[in-house]
Amino acid sequence: MTTLYSHENEGGRTAVTLELLPDGSLQLFYYDIGEDSRRAFGDSDYEAWTTVPACELPKLALALLAEKYAGRHDARSDFASFCEAKGIANDGGTWA
């Protein structure tokens, strides 16, 4: 699980996490607890999530990468550097 956002104050705590579930799906989960949640949602805790099935992850990856790198002349080198920094296997080359 990866925490994308976490905030705590006297009114409560909010967290947003991203997790690959055992079935291969990806879930973005929002959790809010405390008095702020009671005021905003009518209960002391609130949960919401969006789950993308495993079969849709290639489409999601393509859409996110296209949005991130659209219009960038350094897309290839930045993408390779990103993969290497995150320990993601990749292969590439050049030809002239």
Side-chain angles (χ1 to χ4, degrees), residues 9 14 26 35 43 50 61 70 87 95:
N9 63 26
T14 302
L26 179 71
E35 193 53 38
D43 198 342
T50 300
W95 181 77

PDB file of all heavy atoms in Angstrom, residues 9 14 26 35 43 50 61 70 87 95:
ATOM      1  N   ASN A   9      -5.208  16.649  12.186  1.00  0.00           N
ATOM      2  CA  ASN A   9      -5.285  17.852  13.028  1.00  0.00           C
ATOM      3  C   ASN A   9      -6.275  17.565  14.151  1.00  0.00           C
ATOM      4  O   ASN A   9      -6.753  16.442  14.286  1.00  0.00           O
ATOM      5  CB  ASN A   9      -5.666  19.087  12.199  1.00  0.00           C
ATOM      6  CG  ASN A   9      -7.037  18.987  11.568  1.00  0.00           C
ATOM      7  OD1 ASN A   9      -7.919  18.279  12.055  1.00  0.00           O
ATOM      8  ND2 ASN A   9      -7.235  19.691  10.471  1.00  0.00           N
ATOM      9  N   THR A  14      -7.293  12.398   7.767  1.00  0.00           N
ATOM     10  CA  THR A  14      -7.658  12.041   6.405  1.00  0.00           C
ATOM     11  C   THR A  14      -6.488  11.309   5.776  1.00  0.00           C
ATOM     12  O   THR A  14      -5.332  11.709   5.943  1.00  0.00           O
ATOM     13  CB  THR A  14      -7.979  13.297   5.569  1.00  0.00           C
ATOM     14  OG1 THR A  14      -9.045  14.004   6.207  1.00  0.00           O
ATOM     15  CG2 THR A  14      -8.386  12.942   4.157  1.00  0.00           C
ATOM     16  N   LEU A  26      -6.468  -2.474  -8.833  1.00  0.00           N
ATOM     17  CA  LEU A  26      -5.851  -1.320  -8.201  1.00  0.00           C
ATOM     18  C   LEU A  26      -6.941  -0.511  -7.518  1.00  0.00           C
ATOM     19  O   LEU A  26      -7.967  -0.201  -8.132  1.00  0.00           O
ATOM     20  CB  LEU A  26      -5.149  -0.460  -9.256  1.00  0.00           C
ATOM     21  CG  LEU A  26      -4.462   0.802  -8.756  1.00  0.00           C
ATOM     22  CD1 LEU A  26      -3.211   0.440  -7.964  1.00  0.00           C
ATOM     23  CD2 LEU A  26      -4.094   1.687  -9.936  1.00  0.00           C
ATOM     24  N   GLU A  35     -14.131  14.704  13.912  1.00  0.00           N
ATOM     25  CA  GLU A  35     -15.190  15.704  13.944  1.00  0.00           C
ATOM     26  C   GLU A  35     -15.374  16.387  12.593  1.00  0.00           C
ATOM     27  O   GLU A  35     -16.492  16.705  12.200  1.00  0.00           O
ATOM     28  CB  GLU A  35     -14.915  16.727  15.048  1.00  0.00           C
ATOM     29  CG  GLU A  35     -16.096  17.627  15.360  1.00  0.00           C
ATOM     30  CD  GLU A  35     -17.380  16.857  15.667  1.00  0.00           C
ATOM     31  OE1 GLU A  35     -17.336  15.797  16.326  1.00  0.00           O
ATOM     32  OE2 GLU A  35     -18.449  17.334  15.239  1.00  0.00           O
ATOM     33  N   ASP A  43     -21.241  11.617   9.706  1.00  0.00           N
ATOM     34  CA  ASP A  43     -20.803  10.467  10.493  1.00  0.00           C
ATOM     35  C   ASP A  43     -19.344  10.694  10.867  1.00  0.00           C
ATOM     36  O   ASP A  43     -18.633  11.438  10.193  1.00  0.00           O
ATOM     37  CB  ASP A  43     -20.950   9.187   9.677  1.00  0.00           C
ATOM     38  CG  ASP A  43     -20.946   7.923  10.535  1.00  0.00           C
ATOM     39  OD1 ASP A  43     -20.498   7.990  11.696  1.00  0.00           O
ATOM     40  OD2 ASP A  43     -21.373   6.871  10.043  1.00  0.00           O
ATOM     41  N   THR A  50     -12.229   3.898  -5.342  1.00  0.00           N
ATOM     42  CA  THR A  50     -12.377   3.599  -6.761  1.00  0.00           C
ATOM     43  C   THR A  50     -11.450   2.433  -7.046  1.00  0.00           C
ATOM     44  O   THR A  50     -10.260   2.484  -6.713  1.00  0.00           O
ATOM     45  CB  THR A  50     -11.989   4.803  -7.642  1.00  0.00           C
ATOM     46  OG1 THR A  50     -12.842   5.903  -7.309  1.00  0.00           O
ATOM     47  CG2 THR A  50     -12.123   4.486  -9.113  1.00  0.00           C
ATOM     48  N   ALA A  61      -2.586   2.569 -17.396  1.00  0.00           N
ATOM     49  CA  ALA A  61      -1.170   2.952 -17.495  1.00  0.00           C
ATOM     50  C   ALA A  61      -0.924   3.765 -18.762  1.00  0.00           C
ATOM     51  O   ALA A  61      -0.239   4.802 -18.720  1.00  0.00           O
ATOM     52  CB  ALA A  61      -0.287   1.705 -17.481  1.00  0.00           C
ATOM     53  N   ALA A  70       2.664  13.899 -22.703  1.00  0.00           N
ATOM     54  CA  ALA A  70       2.179  14.575 -23.917  1.00  0.00           C
ATOM     55  C   ALA A  70       2.920  15.897 -24.115  1.00  0.00           C
ATOM     56  O   ALA A  70       3.061  16.697 -23.188  1.00  0.00           O
ATOM     57  CB  ALA A  70       0.678  14.824 -23.823  1.00  0.00           C
ATOM     58  N   GLY A  87      12.720   1.096  -9.718  1.00  0.00           N
ATOM     59  CA  GLY A  87      13.021  -0.339  -9.764  1.00  0.00           C
ATOM     60  C   GLY A  87      12.130  -1.108 -10.705  1.00  0.00           C
ATOM     61  O   GLY A  87      11.871  -2.289 -10.492  1.00  0.00           O
ATOM     62  N   TRP A  95      19.241   4.199 -32.148  1.00  0.00           N
ATOM     63  CA  TRP A  95      19.697   3.858 -33.487  1.00  0.00           C
ATOM     64  C   TRP A  95      19.808   5.150 -34.279  1.00  0.00           C
ATOM     65  O   TRP A  95      18.941   6.019 -34.172  1.00  0.00           O
ATOM     66  CB  TRP A  95      18.721   2.893 -34.156  1.00  0.00           C
ATOM     67  CG  TRP A  95      19.142   2.494 -35.526  1.00  0.00           C
ATOM     68  CD1 TRP A  95      20.109   1.600 -35.856  1.00  0.00           C
ATOM     69  CD2 TRP A  95      18.581   2.952 -36.753  1.00  0.00           C
ATOM     70  NE1 TRP A  95      20.202   1.482 -37.215  1.00  0.00           N
ATOM     71  CE2 TRP A  95      19.262   2.312 -37.793  1.00  0.00           C
ATOM     72  CE3 TRP A  95      17.579   3.850 -37.083  1.00  0.00           C
ATOM     73  CZ2 TRP A  95      18.979   2.520 -39.122  1.00  0.00           C
ATOM     74  CZ3 TRP A  95      17.306   4.070 -38.418  1.00  0.00           C
ATOM     75  CH2 TRP A  95      17.997   3.404 -39.420  1.00  0.00           C
TER      76      TRP A  95
END
